[in-house]
Amino acid sequence: MLGTSGNLSAVISRTPLRLAITESSVAKGTLTPQQILEVNERGEAVRPKGSRPSAETLLHCVIARERGAGAVLHTHSVWSTILSDVHAAVGAVTISGYEMEKGFAGVRTHEHREIVPILENDQDMTRLAARVSDVLRDRSDAHALLLRQHGLYTWGATLDEAERHVEIAEFLFEVLVRKHTMEVMEKRT
Ligand SMILES: [Zn+2]
């Protein structure tokens, strides 16, 4: 998580929905307990009062609610940034045939087709949260989604599962980009 990019959350209460989430603009490599805030279902800070949660907190709330996730993780990587842009016109990245797909919860075979939806990036979080909600309903089998030229959102029943999903998704994204680059180079020679 380079610079102060990305944000991390875990559900601490389901009813009412309460998330522990990283504070806005903090380096994740040196996180302190004071930089983890408690927010409500509208993404507003509950504790400590007056603190500033990540701008994208509302997206975490929507994903936790729609998926019943125990944790939601968001990263900005080189590979997700490239793929989300290159595949934006078709609206999704399709991954199939890779053993590592079995790292996604419930996937038993490399023949699984993982479709990662891509949404246009937006600074209006209310509007973007509504679109994320729609996409999650349309693609009830997705384990992750991409924001164009921005990054990855993934989730899991637990924090460990969500972390595994980040590693699996990032691995697969890197494979796709590197493979495509090699194929293009081979065609030229
Ligand atoms: Zn972001």
Side-chain angles (χ1 to χ4, degrees):
M1 301 180 78
L2 301 175
T4 58
S5 69
N7 29 69
L8 314 166
S9 72
V11 172
I12 49 179
S13 154
R14 193 67 62 187
T15 338
L17 185 64
R18 294 280 187 274
L19 268 63
I21 190 164
T22 45
E23 190 178 7
S24 178
S25 310
V26 295
K28 308 307 178 295
T30 54
L31 270 183
T32 64
Q34 290 71 34
Q35 291 170 329
I36 312 276
L37 317 174
E38 184 177 334
V39 297
N40 64 20
E41 71 284 356
R42 292 183 299 281
E44 300 157 348
V46 173
R47 237 179 348 180
K49 285 258 180 279
S51 53
R52 209 159 65 90
S54 294
E56 294 168 48
T57 297
L58 204 50
L59 305 188
H60 289 250
C61 295
V62 165
I63 294 169
R65 197 179 58 228
E66 292 290 335
R67 281 296 195 260
V72 180
L73 305 179
H74 169 53
T75 54
H76 300 183
S77 73
V78 171
W79 313 109
S80 67
T81 303
I82 294 172
L83 267 189
S84 63
D85 196 18
V86 170
H87 291 267
V90 284
V93 177
T94 301
I95 308 168
S96 187
Y98 294 99
E99 183 69 12
M100 279 290 261
E101 289 178 78
K102 287 160 66 183
F104 287 128
V107 175
R108 301 271 174 266
T109 166
H110 63 284
E111 289 168 346
H112 168 78
R113 249 170 103 82
E114 182 68 26
I115 297 174
V116 185
I118 302 170
L119 288 84
E120 281 296 325
N121 196 23
D122 196 338
Q123 302 303 324
D124 181 331
M125 286 304 144
T126 308
R127 189 166 57 200
L128 186 54
R131 283 172 37 225
V132 166
S133 177
D134 289 346
V135 162
L136 292 175
R137 284 175 194 188
D138 286 351
R139 295 243 171 247
S140 59
D141 52 348
H143 293 88
L145 61 87
L146 286 164
L147 298 181
R148 185 178 184 183
Q149 295 177 303
H150 179 164
L152 164 74
Y153 269 88
T154 187
W155 49 87
T158 61
L159 200 46
D160 283 347
E161 187 175 276
E163 187 179 0
R164 190 181 83 226
H165 286 172
V166 171
E167 292 179 357
I168 295 294
E170 292 291 2
F171 172 95
L172 290 164
F173 293 160
E174 182 172 351
V175 166
L176 292 185
V177 176
R178 285 184 183 272
K179 184 181 167 207
H180 181 72
T181 307
M182 287 183 75
E183 285 169 350
V184 169
M185 283 165 62
E186 272 169 21
K187 267 187 207 149
R188 284 191 189 151
T189 54

